Amino acid sequence: MTRGTLRVLLGAAPGVGKTYAMLQEGHQLASEGRDVVLALVETHDREPTAALVDGLEVVPRRAFTHRGVQLSDMDLAAVLARAPEIALVDELAHTNVGTGGNEKRWQDVHALLDAGIDVISTVNVQHIESLGDVVRDITGAAQRETIPDAVLRAADAIELVDLTPEGLRARLGEGLIYPPGRIDAALSNYFRLGNLTALREIALLWLADEVDSALEKYRAEHGISTRWETRERVMVALTGGEEGETLLRRGARIAARSSGGELSAVHVTAPDGLLAAHPKVLADQRLLVERLGGTYHQVIGEDVPSALVEFARASNATQLVIGASRRSKLATALTGPGIGAGIVRLSGDIDVHMVNHAAAATGHRLPRSRGALTRRRTLAGFVLALFGGPLLTWFLKGLQASDDSITVDVLAYQLLVVVVALVGGLFPAVFAALLSGLTLDFFFIAPLYTITIAEPTHLVVLILYILIAILVSVVVDQAARRHRAATRSAAESALLATVSGSVLRGADALEALVNQTCEAFALGGVRLVEANGEVHTAGTPGPGPAGTTMPVGGHAVLELHGRDLPAADRRALTAIVSQLEAVLDFRAVSAAASELAPLAEADRVRSALLQAVGHDLRRPLTAATTAVTSLRSTEVAYSEQDRADLLETADESLHSLSVLVTDLLDVSRLQAGMLGVNMSVVSVEDVLLPALEEAGLGPAEIEVDVPQDLDQLTADPVLMQRIVVNLLLNALRYGAGARRPILAASQFAGRTEVRVIDFGPGIPAAEKEAIFVPFQRHGDTDNLTGLGLGLALSRGFAEGMGGSLAAEDTPGGGLTMVLSLPAAPEPEDAGPTA
């Protein structure tokens, strides 16, 4: 029997239309003559979804009782008995309760697939098991019903049912997802704009990753090794030379020419470390790659062209950027065309860009002939040649017979040359070869005891000795060089790993780098002197001048005391200096930012305050002064009504001045960090009712929707009441609309939220944060509006209580202010009492 196929409709959140799309697909398939049944659907009382159920064959649910509650679920046995061609099964991640069968609905679906039934199902991204912790961090709600990633990835097709966050919130506000009683709480909690945007991004990224995995799996199954140009991927080959910056910028420009182009950089390191680049240059180029929006990779390979091309194919690169060769014409003629030609030969269908640069073809020296062996080994080689030659001659003369062949003698001296080459390298080996040739001619080749080359073959023997000595010594020299480079690279890697580990483990970056420098190079002391005079010391630097000094950018000088560092140690030291420079740069930028931010804020507040004083404070002060002056005047006889009006004007103006001064003092305390907060456990009703009374609002002016079973919260009741009063007055002043404002409260994920909802003109998204800035007001205002400190103070009070205050759009038009405060902690169990 052929196994059925599974098609999953994936959504970012409830209400995007997965079930609706599944039912539409069912109608389409049924109209084409396919045998389709509706095995299970959850309409959640949504009328448009429920309307699509009509016209489809529905398999009756199986009813059962679980813990005294009547429930129903998909009847798997009935669907298997019906044996349709296609079954529609909603909510793939659902957990079966009390059925006595499979624990999860996806297991029921697998049973249908095993029976040869095709299945179309739905799932939300928050139910994917690997994303559970991410979704919990975003929404504050943990998902109990999950589906393993492997089950979902095994589906034959996964389709994204997408809807913009704004569209989903509008659909929610229209009552198409939840009933009216749940809309406000949903908008302020799970269906926040930020939550929906993050969930949508997660769904798109997960599905894109699934597409990439499916593509790689297909290529592997079909043995496809050629690149597929699904997008422009530019790879830059870095050698560690100065030309790397030019190559990277050229590669970035190539990638930018196509939509979605990607940039990566690759450096190939030989296993023996002989081709290791300058660490500082490579570190700078790595930072440049990251600034250009690319990624950096380092691979190890014996053959550089093969390693680059293999990596390019593995990453599906479409363009490969390399630099023109830096070798001279003489080096090219002697050693071949080089790495660039090898890359072009192996690249196949990958486009190769060979970029010219300032360092191209500037090499003019061949590799140095001086070997990597120590002087001690070279001297030992000469000693072995000087003493080993005579001893070998004495031994061979003692064994020589009149009819012996010269073959044994020649091989013995050849062995001596090889041994000398292994010990001392090139020059002792050549010396031993010349000495052996002369000794053979003098003692073993007729005429004896004369240095005469009578036959050409004798000259050939001497030349062969010298060639053998040179070749063997070159091999020995390379082996010694490789061993030294490998040992050096291992030591440098261990040093840099130790330095990085000290910083990552939380140690002070500068202190860690200075201490590790002193320890790694066995110095008596290290001193880092910054330009501002600050000194960081490790060990015990001597009073005299430093043995080695190195500038650290333009910020400091690194002094090394105790011994002069050889050139071999300076490579690792340069890498440490580059890290020191980066740390100092970061500290300088951070210090400058921290110094400028308070100055800029203070200047902005001072300017706004002067403007506000010149406008808002002067008007009530002038009104009060005029009223009092008029009352004191004896030139005009005022009636009792006039005097009452003047007194009322003076009283209102002085009250306005009192409120403004109080707000100014509160702002000063907030900015100085001296706000007094008296936190206590209070109930929502104990705060909201006094706030309504203070604002003078009743049922005619505002609608109240506060559940009676809300848990207590932790807050300062006085500050919370001031916040609510300010929000209520703002809603009445600016939010005049067709409906009364609403004062609502709810609880979600350990938070208590108070929402003041108006149905007025609202505020543009770009200005939502500006209304929380001191001395900022939205729109034209009257004389009693104040300095624009209300919302700034309200947010400061909320944050002082560990909460937040945010502005959101009201569905259908208007503004919703959301005050979120922490719920009161649950009382600890006091334990048994006596």
Side-chain angles (χ1 to χ4, degrees), residues 239-243 323-328 332 357-364:
T239 64
E242 298 293 341
E243 75 280 0
S325 176
R326 288 179 290 173
R327 299 182 307 157
S328 64
T332 302
H357 51 86
T362 57
H364 59 277

Side-chain angles (χ1 to χ4, degrees), residues 62-79:
R62 184 175 66 86
F64 59 94
T65 302
H66 179 66
R67 297 180 179 178
V69 180
Q70 290 293 326
L71 301 174
S72 64
D73 212 329
M74 184 176 74
D75 193 338
L76 177 61
V79 179

Side-chain angles (χ1 to χ4, degrees), residues 464-477:
L464 290 177
Y465 275 146
I466 297 174
L467 288 177
I468 291 173
I470 293 174
L471 293 176
V472 173
S473 63
V474 169
V475 173
V476 173
D477 182 79

Side-chain angles (χ1 to χ4, degrees), residues 28-103:
Q28 178 64 30
L29 293 171
S31 67
E32 297 173 358
R34 309 288 293 275
D35 183 14
V36 182
V37 301
L38 187 54
L40 184 129
V41 64
E42 299 288 355
T43 63
H44 299 290
D45 297 327
R46 298 167 188 165
E47 294 182 2
T49 304
L52 284 178
V53 176
D54 296 337
L56 291 175
E57 179 182 349
V58 180
V59 178
R61 295 189 179 207
R62 184 175 66 86
F64 59 94
T65 302
H66 179 66
R67 297 180 179 178
V69 180
Q70 290 293 326
L71 301 174
S72 64
D73 212 329
M74 184 176 74
D75 193 338
L76 177 61
V79 179
L80 291 173
R82 170 63 177 77
E85 181 184 356
I86 301 172
L88 308 181
V89 182
D90 205 5
E91 297 187 358
L92 186 61
H94 174 75
T95 300
N96 298 328
V97 180
T99 62
N102 294 321
E103 179 184 359

